[in-house]
Amino acid sequence: MSKPVVQVAELPEWVGKEIGVSEWQTITQEAVNAFADVTHDHQWVHIDVERAAKESPFGGTMAHGYFTLSLLSYHIEQLWEVQGCTFALNYGLNKVRFPNPVLVGKAIRCRATLEEVTEVAGGFQCQLKATIEVEGADKPACVAEVLFRFYL
């Protein structure tokens, strides 16, 4: 997959443009279990395959919303490369919603648009609208306003 290379000084020219769509990633039960172990969030709907098959309204286990959110960095890295800065950092989020679950075994990908670029001391802050799509689903799993800073 080819991703655009953007010079940091050109970031304002990208406002309003879709920066790309990542590759599909299948969510496995092993990954969900590992996330549950790291975060100490062992709610049955995420890790108990038999119980979730019987009792969950979704018919199976699902990824944690925060697990889906945490995959944004991995997916956004696939979308573009910003050059001409000394370093970049994830500055945070303005708004996050989880309108649809990610069932284990489903694939997700990220579609992102650059919404805003603001000059900050030493560089630029970018706000992306990142949407995590679920293969075959009408509604996205996650929609987030993600902030990155690129320092000169």
Side-chain angles (χ1 to χ4, degrees), residues 36-57:
D37 288 343
V38 168
T39 60
H40 304 283
D41 182 353
H42 293 97
Q43 185 180 19
W44 65 267
V45 75
H46 303 300
I47 62 167
D48 190 331
V49 176
E50 290 178 18
R51 182 175 177 189
K54 293 176 189 172
E55 297 180 33
S56 167

Side-chain angles (χ1 to χ4, degrees), residues 3 6-7 18 23 26 33 43-44 58-59 65 67-68 71 74-75 81 93 97 116 118 127 134 140 144 150:
K3 61 183 174 181
V6 180
Q7 296 301 315
E18 181 174 274
E23 297 290 328
T26 301
N33 291 349
Q43 185 180 19
W44 65 267
F58 307 111
F67 177 41
T68 304
L71 293 172
Y74 167 73
H75 285 271
E81 180 180 341
L93 303 155
R97 297 290 182 266
E116 186 178 302
T118 308
Q127 177 179 299
V134 181
F150 298 96

Side-chain angles (χ1 to χ4, degrees), residues 48-99:
D48 190 331
V49 176
E50 290 178 18
R51 182 175 177 189
K54 293 176 189 172
E55 297 180 33
S56 167
F58 307 111
T61 52
M62 63 182 190
H64 305 71
Y66 288 135
F67 177 41
T68 304
L69 181 65
S70 73
L71 293 172
L72 276 176
S73 292
Y74 167 73
H75 285 271
I76 289 172
E77 185 178 301
Q78 296 177 37
L79 303 183
W80 67 346
E81 180 180 341
V82 178
Q83 294 182 343
C85 57
T86 56
F87 73 99
L89 61 85
N90 178 343
Y91 192 67
L93 303 155
N94 282 338
K95 185 165 82 171
V96 179
R97 297 290 182 266
F98 303 109

Side-chain angles (χ1 to χ4, degrees), residues 126-147:
C126 295
Q127 177 179 299
L128 302 178
K129 179 182 180 186
T131 303
I132 297 287
E133 302 172 340
V134 181
E135 194 169 33
D138 294 334
K139 293 191 317 186
C142 178
V143 180
E145 292 176 359
V146 185
L147 302 175

